[in-house]
Amino acid sequence: MNGIQIMGTGAAVPSRIMTNFDWAKIVDTNDEWIQSRSGIAQRYFCENESNTDLAIQAAKQALERSEVDKEDIGLVIVATFTPDCATPSMACLVHEALGLPQHAVAFDLNAACSGFLYAMNTAGAILAQGGKPYALVVGSEKISGKINWQDRSSCILFGDGAGAAVIRLNLEEQFVGKWGSVGNKEALYCPYEGEEAYLHMDGQLIFKQAVRMMTEYATETLAAADLKLEDLRYVVCHQANKRIIQSVMRHLDGKEEQFYMNIQKYGNTSAASIPIALNELWEEKKVAHGEKILCVSFGAGFTFSAMLITF
Ligand code: UT7
């Protein structure tokens, strides 16, 4: 399969900002603890918005900016672990809202925080079969509806949001990346029903696993591409905790300015975190056309992925 190139990006967040000071009125916590342990200062929470509203807004923006004709879109994937309903898929509702043609297939994908990179990989494989040249890939979450509002060790970490990209295969490059999974129910678990239908999390277990696996996947991806970290201006890691990203950076011998960080504004938005970051890089003109970015993720499941993408 060829490499993946981004044609346009978009992002959306709900209007309500929930600061650490707001959380301190609800659970026994404080701004200093949250910032020093996670890097998070605020996150966005839905009030009237649905997850699908956010996905549609981000997807519309990505499509407009890509200047791609709707008729040339062959595929829509929404990565989410917090869909608004069991059916229809959020991808089908994005398809409808954007007025996409019938030949564009639409489905959701759940790989938790690795969802966006799993969706990029899946979209690339489908585009490689031929047919229409472009895919719309969205990562969108409404995690505020899934947290335990009394558990200070997990509730303060998460936020709602969406990011999207219109992609095509870059015929001048080979795809370089890796994805994998390991089954584990203890680290992060969110049942659908019952009195405990919220996120249950073993933070320290996830922390260690995340650092180890993101380091491994990033190292192997760079080696497969015959690149050194210093050849890249930016690495975009899943934004789960500032200290996780810094630890991966130290293991890879990287520099602070290479490891893009926006967790302070959004918290952990799961599948949305990487596309929101990619959209910021694009909006702030921090990436040039043709530039490669290394994206790295880990998620509940466990799921892991790393890949090089080109702007
Ligand atoms: O996408 C995957 C999603 N999940 C993650 O990425 C989670 C990864 N893990 C983490 O980010 C970190 O483990 C946390 C931020 C969740 C916790 O940080 P930590 O440095 O591992 O703290 P800890 O769990 O070891 O807790 C240290 C202390 C405990 O008190 P004692 O037992 O030392 O008295 C906790 O009860 O901090 C306490 N604590 C808090 N204090 C104030 C836990 N949560 C809070 C809080 N505010 N919100």
Side-chain angles (χ1 to χ4, degrees):
M1 169 174 126
N2 290 104
I4 288 173
Q5 180 169 17
I6 292 189
M7 309 302 297
T9 62
V13 287
S15 49
R16 176 182 174 196
I17 294 178
M18 177 93 175
T19 66
N20 293 345
F21 298 97
D22 293 328
W23 265 125
K25 291 179 201 148
I26 299 169
V27 288
D28 181 14
T29 191
N30 56 74
D31 180 57
E32 198 279 326
W33 191 96
I34 300 174
Q35 293 228 31
S36 64
R37 298 288 177 127
S38 70
I40 300 164
Q42 62 166 55
R43 70 290 288 145
Y44 293 86
F45 272 5
C46 291
E47 274 186 319
N48 304 316
E49 306 91 342
S50 68
N51 189 3
T52 309
D53 293 335
L54 300 178
I56 290 170
Q57 209 183 316
K60 265 189 185 155
Q61 195 175 48
L63 184 62
E64 273 165 27
R65 287 170 171 177
S66 72
E67 296 181 7
V68 162
D69 188 332
K70 284 178 198 176
E71 288 298 319
D72 290 330
I73 302 264
L75 171 67
V76 186
I77 306 180
V78 175
T80 186
F81 84 96
T82 55
D84 294 317
C85 47
T87 195
S89 68
M90 284 180 43
C92 280
L93 298 177
V94 168
H95 186 294
E96 179 193 33
L98 269 59
L100 295 177
Q102 203 181 105
H103 62 242
V105 297
F107 60 91
D108 289 355
L109 178 158
N110 176 357
C113 304
S114 294
F116 184 75
L117 295 190
Y118 266 51
M120 291 282 263
N121 217 329
T122 305
I126 293 172
L127 290 179
Q129 295 174 354
K132 299 293 174 184
Y134 299 99
L136 174 60
V137 181
V138 185
S140 190
E141 304 284 8
K142 183 180 169 181
I143 310 177
S144 55
K146 300 284 177 199
I147 53 177
N148 176 357
W149 287 65
Q150 274 139 37
D151 175 15
R152 67 177 183 170
S153 66
S154 62
C155 67
I156 48 88
L157 291 177
F158 297 97
D160 301 336
V166 173
I167 63 162
R168 71 166 181 190
L169 291 180
N170 178 2
L171 301 179
E172 283 147 35
E173 305 260 354
Q174 277 307 303
F175 177 81
V176 186
K178 185 177 153 88
W179 52 350
S181 337
V182 173
N184 177 304
K185 207 169 158 185
E186 284 76 49
L188 197 55
Y189 167 62
C190 185
Y192 272 121
E193 300 171 323
E195 280 177 18
E196 299 197 341
Y198 47 68
L199 280 165
H200 301 255
M201 188 183 85
D202 181 338
Q204 292 190 356
L205 175 63
I206 296 172
F207 195 110
K208 287 185 204 136
Q209 183 82 343
V211 172
R212 195 164 63 82
M213 297 308 283
M214 289 212 291
T215 304
E216 182 183 313
Y217 274 52
T219 306
E220 287 184 22
T221 300
L222 286 170
D226 204 14
L227 284 174
K228 295 201 167 38
L229 195 60
E230 55 263 34
D231 298 329
L232 300 174
R233 199 145 53 118
Y234 287 109
V235 178
V236 174
C237 290
H238 167 50
Q239 308 283 307
N241 184 313
K242 177 180 76 175
R243 293 185 297 133
I244 292 177
I245 298 172
Q246 287 171 334
S247 184
V248 172
M249 179 194 79
R250 282 193 292 274
H251 280 90
L252 295 174
D253 238 349
K255 296 194 182 71
E256 192 97 26
E257 61 271 19
Q258 278 179 300
F259 283 71
Y260 192 75
M261 196 104 70
N262 64 9
I263 190 168
Q264 61 282 4
K265 270 194 281 181
Y266 304 100
N268 178 349
T269 57
S270 192
S273 92
I274 289 180
I276 289 175
L278 294 174
N279 181 62
E280 284 189 351
L281 283 174
W282 186 89
E283 279 186 347
E284 292 167 21
K285 300 190 172 37
K286 288 182 168 146
V287 281
H289 184 63
E291 190 167 342
K292 282 197 182 64
I293 310 274
L294 175 64
C295 297
V296 196
S297 70
F298 74 96
F302 294 110
T303 54
F304 315 101
S305 186
M307 68 171 64
L308 283 164
I309 53 155
T310 310
F311 263 89

